[in-house]
Amino acid sequence: MSTGETDLATLLASLQPTLDPEDYVFVCLPPGTASDAEHADLLADALATFREREGMTLIVPAKRAPTPAPVFKRIEMRVHSSLEAVGMTAALSRALTDVGISANVVAAFYHDHVFVPSARASDAMAALRALASVGE
């Protein structure tokens, strides 16, 4: 199994940010309720989960949100980044910070994913493409 790229310049030049057309929301299930039958469908539809002391966070399609919540778009970096790469998250966050966009970054085994406010997705894509062109 490949461990991914670690060189920051190579990572940035190879970002290939890709916008997911789906809208997503972050939902938190209180501690001890993730296994409840009422949450089974929501958990099954989750793109990602993360367990914290305060409860389990789920990233789910917006159409599955149990209550109104801020809506995000997911931008996947198609480059296969190593979990040990240094500086990629900071570079992505800085590029988005510079244009006033919040970034919720999720690093998975193969790719990094950035969740940005849905209304700013096109601006975020432009900022990340510009970052990639600087890395070339």
Side-chain angles (χ1 to χ4, degrees), residues 30-82:
T33 64
S35 62
D36 291 353
E38 68 180 283
H39 296 93
D41 287 343
L42 191 61
L43 193 57
D45 287 343
L47 176 67
T49 63
F50 196 90
R51 192 176 312 271
E52 299 177 282
R53 284 183 302 279
E54 297 84 356
M56 181 181 284
T57 298
L58 296 97
I59 303 172
V60 298
K63 62 185 173 237
R64 293 287 293 126
T67 60
V71 178
F72 295 88
K73 289 286 192 187
R74 175 176 66 119
I75 302 173
E76 177 183 5
M77 304 310 126
R78 297 293 299 161
V79 63
H80 179 187
S81 55
S82 169

Short mmCIF file of all heavy atoms in Angstrom, two decimals, residues 30-82:
data_model
loop_
_atom_site.label_atom_id
_atom_site.label_comp_id
_atom_site.label_asym_id
_atom_site.label_seq_id
_atom_site.Cartn_x
_atom_site.Cartn_y
_atom_site.Cartn_z
N PRO A 30 -25.26 13.26 20.85
CA PRO A 30 -24.80 13.27 22.24
C PRO A 30 -24.09 11.96 22.61
O PRO A 30 -24.35 10.92 22.00
CB PRO A 30 -26.09 13.43 23.04
CG PRO A 30 -27.06 14.07 22.08
CD PRO A 30 -26.70 13.51 20.73
N PRO A 31 -23.21 12.02 23.59
CA PRO A 31 -22.50 10.80 24.01
C PRO A 31 -23.46 9.66 24.29
O PRO A 31 -24.52 9.85 24.88
CB PRO A 31 -21.77 11.23 25.29
CG PRO A 31 -21.66 12.71 25.21
CD PRO A 31 -22.87 13.17 24.44
N GLY A 32 -23.09 8.47 23.82
CA GLY A 32 -23.87 7.27 24.09
C GLY A 32 -25.08 7.07 23.21
O GLY A 32 -25.81 6.10 23.39
N THR A 33 -25.35 7.98 22.26
CA THR A 33 -26.55 7.84 21.44
C THR A 33 -26.26 7.37 20.02
O THR A 33 -27.19 7.10 19.27
CB THR A 33 -27.33 9.17 21.35
OG1 THR A 33 -26.52 10.14 20.69
CG2 THR A 33 -27.73 9.66 22.72
N ALA A 34 -25.00 7.26 19.63
CA ALA A 34 -24.66 6.89 18.26
C ALA A 34 -25.18 5.50 17.89
O ALA A 34 -25.45 5.23 16.73
CB ALA A 34 -23.15 6.95 18.04
N SER A 35 -25.36 4.64 18.88
CA SER A 35 -25.85 3.30 18.58
C SER A 35 -27.37 3.19 18.68
O SER A 35 -27.94 2.14 18.43
CB SER A 35 -25.19 2.27 19.51
OG SER A 35 -25.53 2.57 20.85
N ASP A 36 -28.03 4.29 19.02
CA ASP A 36 -29.49 4.27 19.13
C ASP A 36 -30.12 4.02 17.76
O ASP A 36 -29.64 4.53 16.73
CB ASP A 36 -30.03 5.61 19.66
CG ASP A 36 -29.68 5.84 21.13
OD1 ASP A 36 -29.13 4.92 21.75
OD2 ASP A 36 -29.95 6.94 21.62
N ALA A 37 -31.19 3.27 17.73
CA ALA A 37 -31.88 2.93 16.48
C ALA A 37 -32.31 4.18 15.72
O ALA A 37 -32.27 4.21 14.49
CB ALA A 37 -33.08 2.05 16.78
N GLU A 38 -32.69 5.25 16.44
CA GLU A 38 -33.15 6.47 15.77
C GLU A 38 -32.04 7.15 14.97
O GLU A 38 -32.32 7.92 14.07
CB GLU A 38 -33.74 7.45 16.78
CG GLU A 38 -32.70 8.05 17.72
CD GLU A 38 -33.30 9.02 18.72
OE1 GLU A 38 -33.58 10.16 18.34
OE2 GLU A 38 -33.47 8.60 19.87
N HIS A 39 -30.79 6.84 15.27
CA HIS A 39 -29.67 7.45 14.55
C HIS A 39 -29.02 6.51 13.53
O HIS A 39 -28.08 6.89 12.85
CB HIS A 39 -28.60 7.91 15.54
CG HIS A 39 -29.07 9.00 16.46
ND1 HIS A 39 -29.60 8.75 17.68
CD2 HIS A 39 -29.11 10.31 16.33
CE1 HIS A 39 -29.95 9.88 18.26
NE2 HIS A 39 -29.65 10.85 17.45
N ALA A 40 -29.52 5.31 13.41
CA ALA A 40 -28.89 4.32 12.53
C ALA A 40 -28.82 4.77 11.09
O ALA A 40 -27.78 4.64 10.44
CB ALA A 40 -29.64 2.98 12.62
N ASP A 41 -29.91 5.32 10.55
CA ASP A 41 -29.91 5.78 9.16
C ASP A 41 -28.96 6.95 8.96
O ASP A 41 -28.25 7.02 7.96
CB ASP A 41 -31.31 6.17 8.71
CG ASP A 41 -32.21 4.97 8.50
OD1 ASP A 41 -31.68 3.84 8.38
OD2 ASP A 41 -33.44 5.17 8.46
N LEU A 42 -28.96 7.87 9.91
CA LEU A 42 -28.08 9.03 9.83
C LEU A 42 -26.62 8.59 9.85
O LEU A 42 -25.81 9.05 9.04
CB LEU A 42 -28.37 10.00 10.99
CG LEU A 42 -27.73 11.37 10.92
CD1 LEU A 42 -28.20 12.13 9.70
CD2 LEU A 42 -28.06 12.16 12.18
N LEU A 43 -26.30 7.67 10.75
CA LEU A 43 -24.94 7.15 10.84
C LEU A 43 -24.55 6.41 9.56
O LEU A 43 -23.43 6.55 9.07
CB LEU A 43 -24.82 6.23 12.06
CG LEU A 43 -23.43 5.83 12.50
CD1 LEU A 43 -22.56 7.04 12.79
CD2 LEU A 43 -23.50 4.96 13.74
N ALA A 44 -25.49 5.65 8.99
CA ALA A 44 -25.22 4.91 7.76
C ALA A 44 -24.94 5.85 6.58
O ALA A 44 -24.18 5.52 5.68
CB ALA A 44 -26.38 3.99 7.43
N ASP A 45 -25.54 7.04 6.59
CA ASP A 45 -25.36 8.01 5.51
C ASP A 45 -24.16 8.93 5.71
O ASP A 45 -23.85 9.75 4.85
CB ASP A 45 -26.62 8.87 5.35
CG ASP A 45 -27.77 8.11 4.74
OD1 ASP A 45 -27.53 7.04 4.13
OD2 ASP A 45 -28.92 8.59 4.86
N ALA A 46 -23.49 8.83 6.85
CA ALA A 46 -22.38 9.73 7.17
C ALA A 46 -21.20 9.53 6.23
O ALA A 46 -20.79 8.41 5.96
CB ALA A 46 -21.94 9.53 8.61
N LEU A 47 -20.69 10.62 5.73
CA LEU A 47 -19.46 10.59 4.94
C LEU A 47 -18.27 10.36 5.87
O LEU A 47 -17.33 9.66 5.52
CB LEU A 47 -19.29 11.93 4.20
CG LEU A 47 -18.02 12.12 3.39
CD1 LEU A 47 -18.00 11.15 2.21
CD2 LEU A 47 -17.92 13.56 2.91
N ALA A 48 -18.34 10.93 7.06
CA ALA A 48 -17.26 10.77 8.04
C ALA A 48 -17.83 10.92 9.45
O ALA A 48 -18.87 11.56 9.65
CB ALA A 48 -16.18 11.82 7.81
N THR A 49 -17.13 10.33 10.40
CA THR A 49 -17.50 10.46 11.81
C THR A 49 -16.24 10.72 12.62
O THR A 49 -15.14 10.34 12.23
CB THR A 49 -18.18 9.18 12.35
OG1 THR A 49 -17.25 8.10 12.29
CG2 THR A 49 -19.42 8.82 11.57
N PHE A 50 -16.44 11.37 13.76
CA PHE A 50 -15.33 11.58 14.68
C PHE A 50 -15.91 11.63 16.09
O PHE A 50 -16.83 12.40 16.36
CB PHE A 50 -14.59 12.88 14.37
CG PHE A 50 -13.25 12.95 15.02
CD1 PHE A 50 -12.12 12.48 14.36
CD2 PHE A 50 -13.10 13.45 16.30
CE1 PHE A 50 -10.87 12.51 14.98
CE2 PHE A 50 -11.86 13.49 16.91
CZ PHE A 50 -10.75 13.02 16.24
N ARG A 51 -15.36 10.82 16.96
CA ARG A 51 -15.84 10.74 18.33
C ARG A 51 -15.05 11.71 19.21
O ARG A 51 -13.82 11.69 19.24
CB ARG A 51 -15.67 9.31 18.85
CG ARG A 51 -16.40 9.04 20.15
CD ARG A 51 -16.28 7.58 20.57
NE ARG A 51 -16.58 6.64 19.51
CZ ARG A 51 -17.80 6.16 19.23
NH1 ARG A 51 -18.82 6.55 19.94
NH2 ARG A 51 -17.96 5.29 18.25
N GLU A 52 -15.79 12.58 19.92
CA GLU A 52 -15.21 13.53 20.86
C GLU A 52 -15.87 13.31 22.22
O GLU A 52 -16.87 12.60 22.32
CB GLU A 52 -15.48 14.97 20.41
CG GLU A 52 -14.88 15.30 19.05
CD GLU A 52 -15.23 16.70 18.60
OE1 GLU A 52 -16.37 16.92 18.15
OE2 GLU A 52 -14.36 17.58 18.73
N ARG A 53 -15.33 13.93 23.26
CA ARG A 53 -15.92 13.80 24.60
C ARG A 53 -17.38 14.26 24.60
O ARG A 53 -18.23 13.69 25.28
CB ARG A 53 -15.14 14.64 25.62
CG ARG A 53 -13.83 14.05 26.05
CD ARG A 53 -13.17 14.93 27.11
NE ARG A 53 -12.93 16.30 26.65
CZ ARG A 53 -11.89 16.66 25.88
NH1 ARG A 53 -11.00 15.78 25.51
NH2 ARG A 53 -11.75 17.91 25.50
N GLU A 54 -17.67 15.30 23.81
CA GLU A 54 -19.01 15.89 23.81
C GLU A 54 -20.02 15.11 22.98
O GLU A 54 -21.22 15.40 23.02
CB GLU A 54 -18.94 17.34 23.29
CG GLU A 54 -18.11 18.27 24.14
CD GLU A 54 -16.60 18.22 23.82
OE1 GLU A 54 -16.18 17.41 22.97
OE2 GLU A 54 -15.86 18.99 24.43
N GLY A 55 -19.55 14.16 22.20
CA GLY A 55 -20.45 13.38 21.36
C GLY A 55 -19.77 12.96 20.07
O GLY A 55 -18.57 13.16 19.88
N MET A 56 -20.55 12.35 19.16
CA MET A 56 -20.00 11.91 17.88
C MET A 56 -20.41 12.90 16.80
O MET A 56 -21.60 13.14 16.58
CB MET A 56 -20.49 10.51 17.51
CG MET A 56 -19.90 10.05 16.17
SD MET A 56 -20.44 8.42 15.67
CE MET A 56 -19.45 7.42 16.76
N THR A 57 -19.41 13.46 16.12
CA THR A 57 -19.66 14.35 15.00
C THR A 57 -19.82 13.51 13.75
O THR A 57 -19.02 12.61 13.50
CB THR A 57 -18.50 15.35 14.83
OG1 THR A 57 -18.40 16.16 16.00
CG2 THR A 57 -18.70 16.23 13.61
N LEU A 58 -20.85 13.84 12.97
CA LEU A 58 -21.06 13.18 11.69
C LEU A 58 -21.09 14.26 10.61
O LEU A 58 -21.64 15.34 10.83
CB LEU A 58 -22.41 12.45 11.65
CG LEU A 58 -22.58 11.29 12.62
CD1 LEU A 58 -23.31 11.75 13.85
CD2 LEU A 58 -23.36 10.20 11.95
N ILE A 59 -20.49 13.96 9.48
CA ILE A 59 -20.61 14.82 8.31
C ILE A 59 -21.57 14.08 7.39
O ILE A 59 -21.27 12.98 6.91
CB ILE A 59 -19.26 15.06 7.62
CG1 ILE A 59 -18.26 15.66 8.62
CG2 ILE A 59 -19.44 15.98 6.41
CD1 ILE A 59 -16.83 15.75 8.09
N VAL A 60 -22.74 14.67 7.19
CA VAL A 60 -23.80 14.00 6.44
C VAL A 60 -24.31 14.88 5.31
O VAL A 60 -24.19 16.11 5.37
CB VAL A 60 -24.98 13.60 7.36
CG1 VAL A 60 -24.54 12.63 8.45
CG2 VAL A 60 -25.64 14.81 7.97
N PRO A 61 -24.90 14.26 4.28
CA PRO A 61 -25.53 15.07 3.24
C PRO A 61 -26.57 16.01 3.87
O PRO A 61 -27.30 15.61 4.79
CB PRO A 61 -26.20 14.04 2.33
CG PRO A 61 -25.38 12.79 2.53
CD PRO A 61 -24.99 12.83 4.00
N ALA A 62 -26.61 17.25 3.41
CA ALA A 62 -27.50 18.26 4.00
C ALA A 62 -28.95 17.82 4.01
O ALA A 62 -29.69 18.13 4.94
CB ALA A 62 -27.34 19.58 3.26
N LYS A 63 -29.34 17.07 2.99
CA LYS A 63 -30.74 16.61 2.93
C LYS A 63 -31.08 15.67 4.08
O LYS A 63 -32.25 15.42 4.36
CB LYS A 63 -31.03 15.96 1.58
CG LYS A 63 -30.19 14.73 1.30
CD LYS A 63 -30.43 14.20 -0.11
CE LYS A 63 -29.47 13.08 -0.42
NZ LYS A 63 -28.67 13.33 -1.59
N ARG A 64 -30.08 15.16 4.79
CA ARG A 64 -30.28 14.24 5.92
C ARG A 64 -30.19 14.95 7.26
O ARG A 64 -30.36 14.31 8.30
CB ARG A 64 -29.24 13.11 5.87
CG ARG A 64 -29.38 12.18 4.70
CD ARG A 64 -30.57 11.25 4.83
NE ARG A 64 -30.33 10.33 5.92
CZ ARG A 64 -31.17 10.14 6.96
NH1 ARG A 64 -32.30 10.77 7.02
NH2 ARG A 64 -30.86 9.30 7.92
N ALA A 65 -29.95 16.25 7.27
CA ALA A 65 -29.78 16.97 8.53
C ALA A 65 -31.07 16.94 9.34
O ALA A 65 -32.14 17.26 8.83
CB ALA A 65 -29.37 18.42 8.26
N PRO A 66 -30.97 16.53 10.61
CA PRO A 66 -32.18 16.47 11.44
C PRO A 66 -32.70 17.85 11.84
O PRO A 66 -33.87 18.01 12.13
CB PRO A 66 -31.72 15.67 12.67
CG PRO A 66 -30.24 15.81 12.70
CD PRO A 66 -29.80 16.02 11.28
N THR A 67 -31.84 18.86 11.84
CA THR A 67 -32.22 20.23 12.16
C THR A 67 -31.45 21.16 11.23
O THR A 67 -30.43 20.76 10.66
CB THR A 67 -31.86 20.59 13.62
OG1 THR A 67 -30.45 20.43 13.79
CG2 THR A 67 -32.60 19.71 14.61
N PRO A 68 -31.91 22.40 11.06
CA PRO A 68 -31.15 23.34 10.21
C PRO A 68 -29.72 23.50 10.72
O PRO A 68 -29.48 23.53 11.93
CB PRO A 68 -31.93 24.65 10.35
CG PRO A 68 -33.30 24.23 10.78
CD PRO A 68 -33.12 23.00 11.61
N ALA A 69 -28.79 23.58 9.79
CA ALA A 69 -27.37 23.71 10.15
C ALA A 69 -26.65 24.41 9.01
O ALA A 69 -27.13 24.39 7.86
CB ALA A 69 -26.77 22.32 10.38
N PRO A 70 -25.49 25.03 9.28
CA PRO A 70 -24.72 25.64 8.20
C PRO A 70 -24.38 24.58 7.14
O PRO A 70 -24.08 23.43 7.48
CB PRO A 70 -23.45 26.14 8.89
CG PRO A 70 -23.85 26.30 10.33
CD PRO A 70 -24.87 25.22 10.59
N VAL A 71 -24.42 24.98 5.88
CA VAL A 71 -24.20 24.05 4.77
C VAL A 71 -22.80 24.26 4.19
O VAL A 71 -22.37 25.39 3.98
CB VAL A 71 -25.27 24.25 3.68
CG1 VAL A 71 -25.04 23.32 2.50
CG2 VAL A 71 -26.66 24.02 4.27
N PHE A 72 -22.13 23.13 3.92
CA PHE A 72 -20.77 23.15 3.40
C PHE A 72 -20.66 22.36 2.11
O PHE A 72 -21.44 21.45 1.86
CB PHE A 72 -19.80 22.53 4.44
CG PHE A 72 -19.71 23.32 5.71
CD1 PHE A 72 -20.60 23.08 6.75
CD2 PHE A 72 -18.77 24.31 5.85
CE1 PHE A 72 -20.54 23.82 7.93
CE2 PHE A 72 -18.69 25.05 7.02
CZ PHE A 72 -19.58 24.80 8.06
N LYS A 73 -19.65 22.70 1.32
CA LYS A 73 -19.26 21.91 0.16
C LYS A 73 -17.93 21.26 0.50
O LYS A 73 -17.09 21.83 1.21
CB LYS A 73 -19.07 22.79 -1.09
CG LYS A 73 -20.34 23.33 -1.67
CD LYS A 73 -21.11 22.25 -2.39
CE LYS A 73 -22.23 22.86 -3.22
NZ LYS A 73 -23.10 21.84 -3.78
N ARG A 74 -17.73 20.08 -0.05
CA ARG A 74 -16.46 19.36 0.15
C ARG A 74 -15.60 19.54 -1.08
O ARG A 74 -16.04 19.35 -2.21
CB ARG A 74 -16.70 17.88 0.38
CG ARG A 74 -15.40 17.06 0.47
CD ARG A 74 -15.68 15.61 0.80
NE ARG A 74 -16.39 14.94 -0.27
CZ ARG A 74 -15.90 13.89 -0.94
NH1 ARG A 74 -14.71 13.39 -0.64
NH2 ARG A 74 -16.60 13.32 -1.88
N ILE A 75 -14.35 19.92 -0.86
CA ILE A 75 -13.36 20.00 -1.93
C ILE A 75 -12.30 18.94 -1.62
O ILE A 75 -11.66 18.98 -0.58
CB ILE A 75 -12.73 21.39 -2.04
CG1 ILE A 75 -13.82 22.45 -2.28
CG2 ILE A 75 -11.68 21.41 -3.16
CD1 ILE A 75 -13.31 23.88 -2.23
N GLU A 76 -12.17 18.00 -2.53
CA GLU A 76 -11.19 16.92 -2.37
C GLU A 76 -9.91 17.29 -3.11
O GLU A 76 -9.96 17.69 -4.27
CB GLU A 76 -11.75 15.62 -2.93
CG GLU A 76 -10.76 14.46 -2.84
CD GLU A 76 -11.33 13.18 -3.46
OE1 GLU A 76 -12.42 13.21 -4.04
OE2 GLU A 76 -10.65 12.16 -3.36
N MET A 77 -8.77 17.13 -2.43
CA MET A 77 -7.48 17.29 -3.09
C MET A 77 -7.14 15.92 -3.67
O MET A 77 -6.97 14.96 -2.92
CB MET A 77 -6.39 17.73 -2.11
CG MET A 77 -6.69 19.00 -1.34
SD MET A 77 -7.20 20.39 -2.30
CE MET A 77 -8.72 20.78 -1.45
N ARG A 78 -7.07 15.82 -4.98
CA ARG A 78 -6.90 14.52 -5.63
C ARG A 78 -5.49 13.95 -5.47
O ARG A 78 -5.27 12.77 -5.70
CB ARG A 78 -7.26 14.62 -7.11
CG ARG A 78 -8.72 14.98 -7.36
CD ARG A 78 -9.69 13.92 -6.94
NE ARG A 78 -9.42 12.70 -7.68
CZ ARG A 78 -9.82 11.50 -7.35
NH1 ARG A 78 -10.52 11.33 -6.26
NH2 ARG A 78 -9.54 10.46 -8.08
N VAL A 79 -4.53 14.78 -5.06
CA VAL A 79 -3.17 14.27 -4.85
C VAL A 79 -3.21 13.27 -3.68
O VAL A 79 -3.93 13.46 -2.71
CB VAL A 79 -2.18 15.42 -4.58
CG1 VAL A 79 -2.51 16.17 -3.29
CG2 VAL A 79 -0.75 14.90 -4.55
N HIS A 80 -2.45 12.19 -3.82
CA HIS A 80 -2.34 11.21 -2.72
C HIS A 80 -1.29 11.71 -1.75
O HIS A 80 -0.10 11.51 -1.93
CB HIS A 80 -1.97 9.83 -3.28
CG HIS A 80 -1.83 8.78 -2.21
ND1 HIS A 80 -1.37 7.53 -2.48
CD2 HIS A 80 -2.08 8.80 -0.89
CE1 HIS A 80 -1.33 6.81 -1.37
NE2 HIS A 80 -1.76 7.57 -0.39
N SER A 81 -1.77 12.34 -0.69
CA SER A 81 -0.87 12.92 0.30
C SER A 81 -0.62 11.93 1.43
O SER A 81 -1.52 11.18 1.82
CB SER A 81 -1.49 14.21 0.88
OG SER A 81 -2.78 13.94 1.39
N SER A 82 0.59 11.95 1.91
CA SER A 82 0.94 11.12 3.06
C SER A 82 0.35 11.73 4.32
O SER A 82 0.29 12.96 4.46
CB SER A 82 2.47 11.05 3.20
OG SER A 82 2.82 10.46 4.43
#
